[in-house]
Amino acid sequence: MRLHDREKFLLGKINKQMVRLENGTIDVCDECGEPISLRRLLARPVTTLCIDCKEQSEKEEAAIAQAGRGGVLDATETADGERITGVGAEE
């Protein structure tokens, strides 16, 4: 059943990409409107995000997952561990 559900989900993505192809928007990012590289589309034909937006999405998902596991970020730290400096941040 799980395999069937995954294949059904993927088929839905493929059908959406076919519509995007027909509309001439298959290489346009859904988030920022910038072009999606041909290399990315060849590697992942069902993608709807450029690499920059996908990386940002993954960072946000990781931060949410970390918070869900009880991880608490320091007030001067971002989800990827970078220190924030400047206004309002202690150095």
Side-chain angles (χ1 to χ4, degrees), residues 76 83-91:
T76 61
R83 303 231 4 118
I84 299 171
T85 58
V87 177
E90 296 179 10
E91 295 188 40

Side-chain angles (χ1 to χ4, degrees), residues 37-45:
S37 71
L38 178 60
R39 286 181 52 195
R40 177 155 171 74
L41 285 168
L42 289 173
R44 180 121 176 105

